[in-house]
Amino acid sequence: MSSSVTMPEPASFGRRLKRFMADRPLIPLIILLIILVAILQVLRPGIVNERWIANTAKFAIPLAILAGCQTMTMLTGGIDLSVGTVATMSAFIMATQIVNQNPTVAFILAMLPAVLIGLVNGIGVGVFRVHPLIMTLGTSLIGTGFLQVYQRTVIASGASIPDFLNWLGTGLTYGFPNALFLFVPVAALIVFTLNRTGFGRLLYAVGDNERAARLSGVRYWQVITALYVISGLLAGITGLLYIGLIKAPSLSLAEPLVLPSVAAAVIGGTSIFGGRGGYMGTIVGALILTVLTTLLTILQMPEGGRRILFGFIVLFVTAAYLRIIEDR
Amino acid sequence: MTTNPLPQNPLLDATGVAKNYGAVAALRNASLSVLPGEVHALMGANGAGKSTLVKILTGAIRADAGRILIRGEARDVRSPAAARRAGLLPVYQEPALIPDLDVLSNLRLTGTPVEPFRAWVRELGIPNLDIRETARDIPLAVLRVLDLARALAVEPDVLLLDEMTAALPANLAEKVLEVVRRQGNSGRSVIFISHRFVEISALCDRATVLRDGATVGVVDIEPGVEEKIVEMMLGARIEKTSVAAARTASEAPTVKDSHPRLSVRNLQLGTKLHDVSFDLANGEVAGVVALEGQGQDELFAALAGSIRPAGGTIAVDGAQVRFSHPSDAIRAGIAYVPGDRTEALAMQRSVRENIALPFSAAFRKWGPIKMRRERWVVSSAVARLQIDTRAQGEVRRLSGGNQQKVTIARWIAADARTILCFDPTRGIDVGTKQEIYKLLRELAGLGKSALFYTSELEEVQRVCDRVIVIFGGRVVDTFPVELADEPALMRAAYGLPRGARQDVGILADVRPDAEAAP
Ligand SMILES: Nc1ncnc2c1ncn2[C@@H]1O[C@H](COP(=O)(O)OP(=O)(O)OP(=O)(O)O)[C@@H](O)[C@H]1O
Ligand SMILES: [Mg+2]
């Protein structure tokens, strides 16, 4: 009779490897990170030392926290584009209020807009069902506007960076950046929240199938409002950390971190459609982006070329990663 | 077909088909051979691999091993389009229309001719389909019919129907059977998957039985073969408990208190529900019988707090309630298992998270989860419903029947006092069905109650104490299950009076509104 078509043998090495990676999505990311560091070391022998690592961590941490905001909102199928503005506002208010307020009051004043913007985002998305992209973009613009008005009122008083934030942003303890004192608990809390608390479960459930969550008794607006308030808070804290690192308050301080924070979450395997992802991947994603930036910097390319390359690499990494962890 | 004189060449012949998903062997060694003009049943328990085989035959997924011959020629069906060119067309287990597009755009997308499609839709018992309607807004049963019509419209040589009838009420299912039978008579072949033996014996010539991913036998369908098939499917005998016997036993200890658990009066909702009144007692399983679109969907949704009724009252334990959100109903102990499982499941999440979802819903439950306790509760519900958890990491990887079980297990784990089950056994195999009947009776024995809509009339006698018949948005009759043989139920569902025992022509246009209230 006719010839038979025998399809490929099951469980070849490649497939097994793929399966292994699909089950542990962190591993390919960590491998990528190591490869990038290795390339860096080859291009500039000796660059990868203790100081470089501490420095990379310092810059990766604010990005990673903001990417945490993106991870959590993306799990529900949302996004928070206001994190940059929120971080900038907290930083700016802190730096200007510390001049003639006691630190606690300055801190509270700095966190106020963060919570407020988070609340408005949450109500807009959760109650009035505005698309999160539009909602957070809107509040972000409004926030920037307010900040400009505010700047004029404090222009005379000047600004300074509180010592504590200096210490947190740039200081080292036994070679470790002090920012880790903030980051480790925050990261642990986010991971714990996502995996082990009812709220975390609801983020995933709501993002995966809102109707199903509703039929199980979940009130969407509650979850979403709480989520965006938390996101605002985290962004505000990041702003304080970031001002300690950058030391120059400006009206667009944290703005350049917004899109990389989204990219870090996506590279880390969180789906922008909701329901899938986690914070560990995001942290590695933030590290990858930070190392990549260093790498492109030492290549001494013109800024334009660097950005183009950066964009391509992000696209490529994300696509490749999805192919690895998606199995059919 | 047993007496087929000519040795025919099979139209489709698959042997040694295997498919692994990592550690999960969905198919190990499946074979299937279909003759021209044959209606061939593909049977097996939930998770046996039926849907996987259908997907492989139609190019939706690739097999790891195996040989597929179409009209004697080896074909490597690499894509659904290739399968279609080879004359193979599937209706998959889950609705295939894109929810955000209207029907017409969906047809264009697949290059389906519109006029034949419309003709088939009418033929299949849906006279007034609005082709501009968005698929999302179409009820599940109708969506299934549209899927079938879409397949029929391109006149395939082999039609593969994966639980086509599972979501259909009796009148629509009947139409489907008719059409399928005619396909067979006109020399086309049909592969027919169903967990309903009535349909298999009425329709099919032969059956291939799968167990754990391997073909364990091919049998001719003849009277009395059912038991043999079940045995092959499950690898063991099961006894069909006539629950009527179990019922009297479990009923005894229930104390009838003064208030009914649920009391519905004059419920109204849009054009769908006009006047629905009934009571549900503690310890009672009440069956709801209705044809497609008589308002049963809306009734269940209203009782579950999912939509707000326009008029009428609902009382729980004698106190009037007004649900504005499903969480209100859940707080009153009323849980809802929707007919469409995609409405109930977070597909990318694990079995465990899906079952435990209601635990975290309330604001005060947002804190840390007691993992050990949760694991225990979930695994006992999983065991109770015999969920095949080999692919439990993501619910979407479970077989259809196992997904369905998860929707029920959730409320068993949550220990709901009243369960509103909308066609809960859809796509569930015979073995587990028995288990679910038993479960419902047990719950009733514990003083819990259930409202049970089913499209499979046979089930009414198995689980229900009482039958509520809905027609045209009204309760037209309620009667004890003793009077509910299938012909009686069928007549009632068509809105015909129960008194007229003689053969009432289906044409008789009687609407006995008088008998409404209990
Ligand atoms: N993508 C996947 N990943 C992992 N396992 C899978 C995947 N798809 C199917 N399976 C597994 O393969 C087995 C067979 O599934 P299949 O859907 O073919 O069953 P079925 O016979 O159609 O059952 P049912 O009667 O419930 O529809 C199941 O155990 C299922 O969990
Ligand atoms: Mg199936």
Side-chain angles (χ1 to χ4, degrees):
Chain A
M1 249 184 90
S2 54
S3 72
S4 69
V5 179
T6 309
M7 288 160 220
E9 279 289 288
S12 66
F13 176 72
R15 284 181 58 112
R16 281 222 307 277
L17 185 69
K18 210 176 149 215
R19 160 66 47 183
F20 178 77
M21 299 230 206
D23 288 343
R24 294 167 194 75
L26 263 186
I27 288 179
L29 282 177
I30 292 174
I31 292 176
L32 177 65
L33 181 62
I34 292 172
I35 292 175
L36 286 177
V37 175
I39 294 178
L40 198 63
Q41 175 70 8
V42 168
L43 290 179
R44 280 288 157 82
I47 188 177
V48 181
N49 56 21
E50 224 171 87
R51 251 195 47 230
W52 177 82
I53 292 177
N55 219 27
T56 305
K58 264 189 248 170
F59 279 91
I61 285 171
L63 180 62
I65 303 181
L66 291 188
C69 301
Q70 307 300 355
T71 306
M72 289 196 286
T73 45
M74 274 161 57
L75 285 178
T76 67
I79 195 166
D80 190 349
L81 294 182
S82 67
V83 289
T85 302
V86 169
T88 308
M89 283 176 96
S90 318
F92 198 85
I93 293 173
M94 188 68 180
T96 46
Q97 290 296 325
I98 197 73
V99 180
N100 38 25
Q101 294 280 9
N102 90 33
T104 321
V105 176
F107 176 74
I108 292 172
L109 286 176
M111 293 312 284
L112 211 63
V115 174
L116 212 64
I117 288 185
L119 190 65
V120 173
N121 282 337
I123 292 173
V125 176
V127 179
F128 297 104
R129 303 279 173 155
V130 183
H131 193 282
L133 199 78
I134 303 300
M135 190 66 217
T136 56
L137 196 61
T139 50
S140 157
L141 293 175
I142 294 170
T144 310
F146 269 114
L147 199 56
Q148 279 169 4
V149 174
Y150 171 79
Q151 185 197 26
R152 266 183 234 129
T153 66
V154 293
I155 210 149
S157 56
S160 79
I161 315 293
D163 292 339
F164 174 70
L165 293 184
N166 256 327
W167 175 84
L168 192 65
T170 45
L172 297 178
T173 305
Y174 300 119
F176 288 99
N178 293 335
L180 285 174
F181 288 119
L182 176 70
F183 181 67
V184 171
V186 165
L189 197 66
I190 294 179
V191 171
F192 181 80
T193 302
L194 290 182
N195 295 328
R196 292 293 174 94
T197 66
F199 180 66
R201 288 278 176 83
L202 297 189
L203 294 183
Y204 285 101
V206 156
D208 189 309
N209 188 344
E210 197 202 314
R211 282 171 89 178
R214 189 177 128 87
L215 284 183
S216 298
V218 180
R219 290 183 189 260
Y220 181 74
W221 71 268
Q222 289 179 345
V223 179
I224 294 299
T225 308
L227 167 67
Y228 281 89
V229 169
I230 291 173
S231 177
L233 264 172
L234 282 177
I237 290 171
T238 312
L240 300 188
L241 176 67
Y242 203 53
I243 188 75
L245 179 64
I246 300 291
K247 296 200 169 63
S250 79
L251 289 188
S252 58
L253 178 74
E255 218 51 62
L257 291 184
V258 177
L259 293 182
S261 75
V262 178
V266 173
I267 289 178
T270 300
S271 158
I272 54 166
F273 301 111
R276 220 141 47 120
Y279 190 51
M280 291 308 269
T282 303
I283 296 174
V284 185
L287 281 169
I288 288 176
L289 285 184
T290 312
V291 174
L292 196 59
T293 313
T294 325
L295 192 61
L296 293 177
T297 314
I298 66 160
L299 284 181
Q300 289 177 337
M301 257 193 228
E303 171 72 14
R306 221 158 60 202
R307 289 200 176 189
I308 292 172
L309 202 57
F310 188 78
F312 270 120
I313 292 176
V314 168
L315 281 181
F316 174 77
V317 166
T318 315
Y321 182 57
L322 284 182
R323 280 203 82 91
I324 290 177
I325 62 166
E326 237 357 91
D327 61 300
R328 214 168 78 102
Chain B
M1 265 304 178
T2 38
T3 53
N4 190 357
L6 301 169
Q8 285 174 298
N9 288 328
L11 190 53
L12 174 71
D13 186 28
T15 43
V17 181
K19 173 77 187 173
N20 290 302
Y21 291 101
V24 182
L27 284 178
R28 289 181 295 130
N29 179 16
S31 54
L32 174 66
S33 172
V34 182
L35 301 171
E38 179 185 40
V39 180
H40 194 106
L42 185 57
M43 310 207 60
N46 294 133
K50 305 178 295 294
S51 301
T52 307
L53 184 56
V54 167
K55 284 182 198 152
I56 287 172
L57 292 175
T58 54
I61 53 178
R62 303 277 320 256
D64 295 330
R67 193 186 60 158
I68 297 168
L69 304 179
I70 298 171
R71 292 181 206 83
E73 273 174 57
R75 287 291 266 274
D76 188 5
V77 193
R78 283 169 177 277
S79 69
R84 190 170 164 156
R85 262 176 270 127
L88 266 59
L89 222 66
V91 174
Y92 293 125
Q93 192 167 3
E94 305 304 328
L97 295 189
I98 296 174
D100 290 316
L101 297 180
D102 62 13
V103 178
L104 188 60
S105 313
N106 264 298
L107 293 180
R108 289 219 186 97
L109 209 61
T110 48
T112 310
V114 177
E115 266 325 304
F117 170 80
R118 283 199 151 143
W120 278 116
V121 171
R122 269 190 302 267
E123 177 102 36
L124 287 165
I126 298 179
N128 41 15
L129 172 78
D130 177 8
I131 205 159
R132 286 278 174 198
E133 196 169 356
T134 310
R136 189 185 295 289
D137 305 330
I138 300 176
L140 179 67
V142 179
L143 276 182
R144 301 297 291 150
V145 172
L146 298 188
D147 279 339
L148 176 58
R150 189 164 71 153
L152 286 166
V154 292
E155 307 191 349
D157 297 336
V158 184
L159 190 59
L160 300 95
L161 304 182
D162 194 351
E163 299 195 16
M164 176 59 225
T165 50
L168 302 189
N171 55 333
L172 290 181
E174 197 116 323
K175 287 280 199 313
V176 170
L177 298 190
E178 247 167 60
V179 166
V180 168
R181 192 175 300 121
R182 261 189 286 138
Q183 288 282 307
N185 292 343
S186 64
R188 301 170 196 275
S189 310
V190 180
I191 296 172
F192 189 80
I193 299 177
S194 170
H195 290 291
R196 299 178 177 176
F197 273 100
V198 200
E199 296 173 356
I200 303 289
S201 55
L203 191 65
C204 299
D205 305 306
R206 293 191 302 158
T208 292
V209 183
L210 285 177
R211 184 167 80 225
D212 295 336
T215 296
V216 289
V218 182
V219 292
D220 292 322
I221 301 293
E222 54 207 8
V225 79
E226 175 177 336
E227 246 169 74
K228 189 172 156 201
I229 293 180
V230 172
E231 213 176 311
M232 287 163 90
M233 271 169 61
L234 305 178
R237 273 168 197 284
I238 55 157
E239 9 168 340
K240 278 205 173 178
T241 41
S242 152
V243 185
R247 186 165 53 232
T248 41
S250 68
E251 198 91 277
T254 344
V255 191
K256 296 270 180 230
D257 52 314
S258 49
H259 292 302
R261 171 68 180 140
L262 197 64
S263 161
V264 178
R265 290 289 173 275
N266 311 104
L267 205 65
Q268 286 175 23
L269 207 161
T271 56
K272 290 296 194 164
L273 281 186
H274 297 300
D275 178 13
V276 170
S277 307
F278 66 89
D279 285 341
L280 180 66
N282 284 306
E284 182 184 44
V285 179
V288 172
V289 170
L291 302 177
E292 169 57 20
Q294 300 302 312
Q296 65 270 40
D297 308 68
E298 288 76 11
L299 172 64
F300 275 69
L303 294 178
S306 187
I307 46 177
R308 257 182 255 201
T313 60
I314 301 170
V316 176
D317 298 327
Q320 200 162 316
V321 291
R322 200 174 282 271
F323 298 146
S324 61
H325 189 277
S327 64
D328 298 333
I330 292 167
R331 207 165 321 123
I334 300 174
Y336 173 43
V337 178
D340 184 354
R341 53 182 164 258
T342 56
E343 233 177 87
L345 295 173
M347 287 290 176
Q348 303 174 77
R349 308 311 304 166
S350 65
V351 168
R352 175 173 171 172
E353 279 181 45
N354 268 283
I355 292 178
L357 184 53
F359 299 158
S360 321
F363 180 68
R364 62 197 156 74
K365 304 277 190 57
W366 284 9
I369 297 169
K370 296 193 185 88
M371 297 304 255
R372 185 128 18 100
R373 204 185 103 80
E374 182 189 278
R375 189 174 312 128
W376 183 80
V377 173
V378 167
S379 57
S380 59
V382 163
R384 191 67 227 262
L385 283 147
Q386 305 171 340
I387 300 174
D388 172 355
T389 49
R390 282 179 301 167
Q392 60 176 313
E394 285 180 61
V395 164
R396 67 189 169 127
R397 296 185 196 282
L398 295 185
S399 77
N402 283 301
Q403 291 178 5
Q404 185 69 27
K405 294 180 206 168
V406 174
T407 64
I408 304 171
R410 171 184 290 165
W411 296 115
I412 300 302
D415 202 22
R417 262 188 72 195
T418 301
I419 306 190
L420 311 171
C421 296
F422 198 96
D423 228 355
T425 57
R426 174 161 85 86
I428 288 183
D429 66 46
V430 272
T432 316
K433 262 184 192 167
Q434 295 302 319
E435 203 51 40
I436 290 175
Y437 303 150
K438 242 198 277 169
L439 185 71
L440 282 171
R441 288 319 315 176
E442 247 178 62
L443 292 180
L446 294 171
K448 299 184 174 161
S449 51
L451 196 62
F452 184 89
Y453 166 80
T454 174
S455 56
E456 208 173 337
L457 294 180
E458 186 202 14
E459 290 189 331
V460 171
Q461 289 135 300
R462 291 257 162 75
V463 272
C464 301
D465 300 299
R466 202 158 53 96
V467 184
I468 298 167
V469 184
I470 298 184
F471 184 76
R474 292 165 210 278
V475 171
V476 292
D477 203 357
T478 56
F479 49 89
V481 73
E482 287 73 29
L483 307 178
D485 54 353
E486 252 174 83
L489 287 173
M490 202 59 187
R491 245 192 320 266
Y494 272 104
L496 302 174
R498 175 155 43 97
R501 277 272 150 196
Q502 315 81 345
D503 226 28
V504 187
I506 291 244
L507 305 171
D509 185 26
V510 200
R511 291 254 309 254
D513 285 359
E515 296 189 37

